[in-house]
Amino acid sequence: MRSYVNGCDWVPKNGIELEEAAEYAVRSSKNALVVAGPGAGKTELLAQKTDFLFQTNLSEFPRKILAISFKKDAADNLRERIKKRYGNDYANRIVSLTFDSFSKRILDQFRLALPKNLIPKKDYLVEDNNRIEEVFGQCIEGFKDLKKWQKNNVVEQHLYTVPNKAIWNILLRGDMNGQACLTFRMISLLAKKIIQKNPKIKNAFQVTYSHIFLDEFQDTTGMQYDLVKSCFLGGKSVVIAVGDNKQRIMEWAGAKKTIFSDFQEDFNADKFSLIMNHRSAPRLVELQKMMYESLGEKELNATPSKKWSKAEGEIKLFLSEDELSEAEKVVNDIVYKIDSDVSADEICILVKQLPENYSSEIIGLLKQKGIRARIENLYQNSLKESIVILLLSIFKVSLQEQASEDWDYLESFYFKNFELDDSQNAKNFDLVQKSIKEIVSYCTDAISNLSDESDLRELVKETINKLQLKVILKNYPEYVQGNYINSVLEDFIKLFWEEYRMVFDFKKAIRNFQGEDVIPIMTIHKSKGLEYEAIYLVGLEDSAWWNFKNKPEAERSAFFVAISRAKQYLSFSYCSHRESLKRFNNPSGSQSKSQVNEFFELLTAPNIAEIVE
């Protein structure tokens, strides 16, 4: 017998004290728009909202909550926090998906509900650019000779603006030259069509999900928003959208500029604005607030957490003549931070674009100091993959290096396999334990005999065989179509082998692969949703921010995202000559700052940044 509490008696969990607007948003029974700046605790708010809904049974058992986000890690973070805090009873009632995986799930489950001429083959490929270009080459004369940007325009025109029936037919069904292949935007359009044409399916979604959480809402595209409206507008499900317009950096990917006002109007949503910044020190918060006017923020007045004293926070601006001088300044500062007990993986180097062009000198000097830094993009992608998380959990358990969540992750995988829940009987529990021990025993032996990359490849292959591919696909449906799982595993093997061959210690290779004691280098876009003790923004020059003249709002938002990743230390670097950029239509390598001068005016205002020349 489940017991529930009255809404008036519910209190936030884990000793969390919610600010007034956050508590109102948690207790609200209506559609809601929550505007929350960096460090405001968006994920925490949604976790507390989940507890409130389940504790009070306002999300009536056994209905679920659907959490949709733009990025996979954001979608996973909420469910993992809920699982860790409240256990599987709660976590099993949270379905966390990206917009892409949500639309794909609709299509894969209900594709036969489409009109016959729109039903894709079951084994369609996803986002296979080679296949898409092959089809366009067949159907559009001269396509193969076009430049990349011209090809992108032609694809946009014939798939979305004025859909080309011949091209759509081949991509939906395949032909003698290759498989069916869909883009995620095509999948979203087909998913929307399924919902619109089938009221019973729409009703099924609304019966299943009592509440819909839309995270990072400012990055939602018009097509994604149309799908949300098709599924839930006018229904009984309550929709809560959370985001921050100041961090809208996906305009290039179609992020809808009017998404907040459209949502408020369409869903008749109440608006709640959070002002607390629990992440950044007061001096860093003041810098963020100085950008509000240029970002069009007229309502919020962010307030730092009381855990900081008013003077805390450090901001520096490094001015250098060349890349070696820049590297020396940045590296010396990083060494000082590490000597002051800031761990390497709590330091992050950000660039606007092309990390390899801005970081080689820095990486080399750090290496001389015994500090490792790496360009993180490929590792980030691999570490987010469900199959990679599963493999690493198995390997860590095999080496007795696991944290409790690794064993939990394995148990959860097998519980799904045997269709068990937390109340499984002793016999079934023993079956799960036996399955884990068998695969762990194999991995322990194989790891001890690892000598070259082919051994690692065999270890991964045999581990997958023992898990059984059909079971993996049942647990992780994102790998059902095409060869995606094979490409993910191939990328993992190559990246992991690089880590292993540097140390020839499997335990240390796992830690290094996961980024422990490694300084990550990444683009601003990849840093979205992350936070670090110290941020170094390298390349504060016109050439890096080349689109500022054309898209000043988007570039300001990117700058704001960068500065709001830092907790306590924030540094910027300008270099007046970059040898590494000579090949990019810049024979002299000289750099300027006229286009991004407003950033320098911000940093050189009185009492803001320490200038280091």
Side-chain angles (χ1 to χ4, degrees), residues 114 116 238 245 262 271 357 368 482 491 526 542 554 567:
L114 283 163
K116 284 187 178 181
V238 177
N245 253 336
D262 289 352
K271 182 178 178 181
N357 292 331
Q368 292 177 24
D491 288 344
K526 286 286 186 181
D542 291 343
K567 297 179 185 177

Side-chain angles (χ1 to χ4, degrees), residues 34-93:
V34 181
V35 180
K42 295 184 285 290
T43 303
E44 182 60 40
L45 179 143
L46 294 176
Q48 295 288 351
K49 178 85 177 179
T50 300
D51 181 61
F52 175 78
L53 293 171
F54 290 168
Q55 281 280 307
T56 59
N57 203 35
L58 290 172
S59 175
E60 214 172 316
F61 183 83
R63 296 179 78 192
K64 298 182 178 184
I65 293 173
L66 174 62
I68 308 177
S69 186
F70 195 84
K71 292 170 63 177
K72 186 177 187 302
D73 50 352
D76 291 341
N77 285 346
L78 174 63
R79 189 175 187 278
E80 287 306 308
R81 183 174 301 197
I82 287 169
K83 181 178 178 181
K84 188 174 290 187
R85 184 180 297 174
Y86 305 114
N88 282 327
D89 275 354
Y90 276 21
N92 291 339
R93 291 178 62 192

Side-chain angles (χ1 to χ4, degrees), residues 596-613:
V596 294
N597 190 53
E598 69 177 67
F599 296 158
F600 281 86
E601 290 179 351
L602 194 70
L603 296 172
T604 55
N607 304 315
I608 297 300
E610 174 190 350
I611 312 297
V612 181
E613 299 188 67

Side-chain angles (χ1 to χ4, degrees), residues 27 35 55 60 77 87 101 111 133 149 168 191 281 290 302 351 375 413 456 471 482 547 566:
R27 295 179 182 276
V35 180
Q55 281 280 307
E60 214 172 316
N77 285 346
S101 58
R111 65 187 184 87
E133 289 200 9
W149 66 268
W168 265 80
M290 288 172 69
V351 298
I375 295 172
F413 177 84
L456 175 62
V471 175
N547 206 26

Side-chain angles (χ1 to χ4, degrees), residues 333-470:
D333 199 72
I334 287 174
V335 169
Y336 178 80
K337 296 285 191 304
I338 291 176
D339 289 344
S340 303
D341 289 332
V342 178
S343 64
D345 50 22
E346 272 295 322
I347 297 168
C348 180
I349 298 171
L350 293 181
V351 298
K352 181 63 167 60
Q353 58 182 358
L354 303 173
E356 60 277 7
N357 292 331
Y358 291 87
S359 60
S360 57
E361 290 284 357
I362 294 172
I363 291 173
L365 269 184
L366 284 170
K367 187 175 181 181
Q368 292 177 24
K369 303 285 186 180
I371 302 168
R372 185 162 174 230
R374 74 182 185 199
I375 295 172
E376 199 70 10
N377 292 9
L378 292 176
Y379 289 89
Q380 272 188 315
N381 293 338
S382 186
L383 285 164
K384 291 173 188 173
E385 293 290 344
S386 302
I387 189 62
V388 172
I389 296 170
L390 179 64
L391 286 171
L392 291 175
S393 294
I394 293 170
F395 296 158
K396 284 191 278 186
V397 171
S398 302
L399 295 165
Q400 299 182 338
E401 281 283 298
Q402 79 273 15
S404 60
E405 57 262 29
D406 295 308
W407 188 268
D408 289 345
Y409 198 84
L410 288 186
E411 284 190 337
S412 177
F413 177 84
Y414 280 102
F415 289 166
K416 289 180 184 176
N417 181 21
F418 297 119
E419 298 186 346
L420 306 176
D421 57 28
D422 285 352
S423 62
Q424 72 273 16
N425 60 38
K427 179 182 177 181
N428 287 331
F429 181 81
D430 289 344
L431 186 60
V432 169
Q433 301 303 309
K434 180 183 177 184
S435 298
I436 294 175
K437 286 176 182 176
E438 284 178 357
I439 199 166
V440 162
S441 176
Y442 162 74
C443 290
T444 302
D445 290 341
I447 289 169
S448 66
N449 293 309
L450 197 72
S451 60
D452 57 33
E453 187 175 347
S454 64
D455 292 333
L456 175 62
R457 195 174 299 279
E458 182 62 24
L459 166 62
V460 171
K461 177 183 174 183
E462 192 56 31
T463 303
I464 295 296
N465 288 339
K466 289 182 178 297
L467 290 167
Q468 297 182 44
L469 184 59
K470 66 179 182 180

Side-chain angles (χ1 to χ4, degrees), residues 233-276:
L233 185 62
K236 295 182 179 179
S237 303
V238 177
V239 184
I240 297 97
V242 183
D244 178 18
N245 253 336
K246 299 187 295 300
Q247 300 183 67
R248 183 166 50 81
I249 60 173
M250 301 302 291
E251 188 177 343
W252 60 273
K256 189 175 174 68
K257 290 185 72 170
T258 58
I259 192 74
F260 282 16
S261 57
D262 289 352
F263 175 76
Q264 272 192 274
E265 183 177 343
D266 294 337
F267 285 84
N268 191 28
D270 289 341
K271 182 178 178 181
F272 301 93
S273 298
L274 309 190
I275 62 171
M276 287 295 298

